[in-house]
Amino acid sequence: MFSSLRVRNYRLFFAGQVVSNIGTWMQRIAQDWLVLSLTGSATAVGVTTALQFLPMLLFGLYGGVLVDRLPRRPTLLFTQTSMAVTGIALAVLTLSGHVQVWHVYVAAFAVGLATVVDNPARQSFVSEMVGPDQLQNAVSLNSANFQSARLVGPAVAGLMITGVGTGWAFMANGLSFAAPIAGLLLMRGRDLHAVKRAPRGKGQLREGLHYVAGRPDLIWTIALVGFIGTFGFNFPVYLSAFADDVFHAGAGSYSLFNTLMAVGSLAGALLAARRGTARMRVLIVAAVAFGVFEIVAAGAPSLWLFALLMAPIGMFGMTVNVTANTSIQMSTDPAMRGRVLALYMMVFLGGAPVGAPIAGWVTDAYGVRAGLAVGGVISFVAAAAIGLVLARVGNLRLSVGWNCGHPHVRFVPRETREQLAAAA
């Protein structure tokens, strides 16, 4: 389960990310709380979130082009340093009493700009540290790292905000970047796996899109993640509404739902690390299960049943994310990896600003149970349809049978006419 941690460079990277991810979750909570306290407007909080995701939508593919041209470690040193400076600047403004809401907007947009390059660079740098044999394990551990921080960061942020103030939460995030920066500086360059860089030239963005368009395994995987990210992952909309409007249980139950989902996500990431391979059938089955559990949760009659369903939803959602990420990295030409990962991240993260208003409209018009059910149905249908398309592209058929008393479902090669004639 933890085999990639034997690699010294990845161990340094992983340790730095543990600290930095906790700081990132602290900043998210503190940022929303500060905007709400300055304006008293939930819309302003939504604007802040949109500004942080907007650069990925606008410039995500160009970030991938830069990542394919530039060496990843110096690039990450620059992006991590820029995010540290942004956090510290926001801390100074807050602690000095001069902060205004537009300062937070600018800081959110600046972090979003850095993320345009940081995300694909960080994702693709994993393969340089561990090589192809440990890639699945390392990507899975990165996800487990992020989900662990999701459990710790908001709790620490809450304690800091109530104890010493919002500004110190921003300062803690800014200083937390010292850990990944130190890890990058301590790495041994000779131990990194050499990767071919894309030469500077015209039409590289178009070249990346043509590359994906010519690879059905990539384009359909990205499409599946896009459907699930846009329509299935709108939990901030659904969970708060279930807590308040359906079960009338308040903020405590909302926190419980998020915690159980984070626990399930952590379990999904660790199981993916243990599995060691990124198979397409695992991706499809996990996506189908994710949709089914969302549909079941939409009709849950009691708070405790709904809460317990959050764990498998988190687990299968994380399995989809990790498996898609790993399969894309392992099957992509290294010279194209930055552009392909940028497209993947743009579709996955960029779906939230599109899907959230739709989910909110369905919830307002027909109720939160209908909203969650619609998200589950779309995820299920997309997974089933794309699974059939990939099977047809790969000349596979679905085989259902029994093995040692247990149901056995898998895709097997479809027999050609020539093979059938020879058998006859």
Side-chain angles (χ1 to χ4, degrees), residues 134-292:
Q134 296 289 345
L135 183 58
Q136 160 91 9
N137 184 264
V139 170
S140 303
L141 289 183
N142 280 351
S143 298
N145 187 330
F146 187 76
Q147 294 304 320
S148 300
R150 181 181 172 186
L151 293 172
V152 177
V156 176
L159 291 173
M160 291 194 72
I161 290 169
T162 56
V164 294
T166 308
W168 290 107
F170 292 134
M171 183 65 74
N173 175 56
L175 296 177
S176 73
F177 284 99
I181 291 170
L184 290 166
L185 292 173
L186 290 171
M187 287 181 185
R188 296 173 184 158
R190 64 179 181 273
D191 293 341
L192 294 173
H193 294 255
V195 174
K196 180 184 176 183
R197 305 281 176 225
R200 185 183 297 273
K202 294 182 178 180
Q204 289 182 320
L205 177 58
R206 195 182 311 112
E207 182 186 11
L209 294 174
H210 282 314
Y211 178 81
V212 173
R215 292 281 305 276
D217 56 328
L218 294 180
I219 196 168
W220 287 114
T221 298
I222 292 172
L224 175 58
V225 169
F227 275 109
I228 291 179
T230 301
F231 300 103
F233 270 77
N234 294 302
F235 297 112
V237 176
Y238 300 136
L239 298 188
S240 58
F242 264 96
D244 287 339
D245 302 335
V246 177
F247 300 120
H248 309 290
S253 62
Y254 177 63
S255 175
L256 175 65
F257 298 156
N258 280 284
T259 299
L260 288 174
M261 184 172 291
V263 170
S265 299
L266 178 60
L270 291 175
L271 288 172
R274 182 181 179 86
R275 194 160 46 244
T277 56
R279 296 183 178 180
M280 197 58 65
R281 68 183 181 190
V282 174
L283 173 64
I284 298 300
V285 169
V288 167
F290 175 82
V292 168

Side-chain angles (χ1 to χ4, degrees), residues 5 33 92 117 135 139 188 205 227-228 243 262 331 348 376 389 406:
L5 290 177
W33 184 261
V92 170
V117 177
L135 183 58
V139 170
R188 296 173 184 158
L205 177 58
F227 275 109
I228 291 179
S331 61
F348 183 61
V389 169
H406 298 285

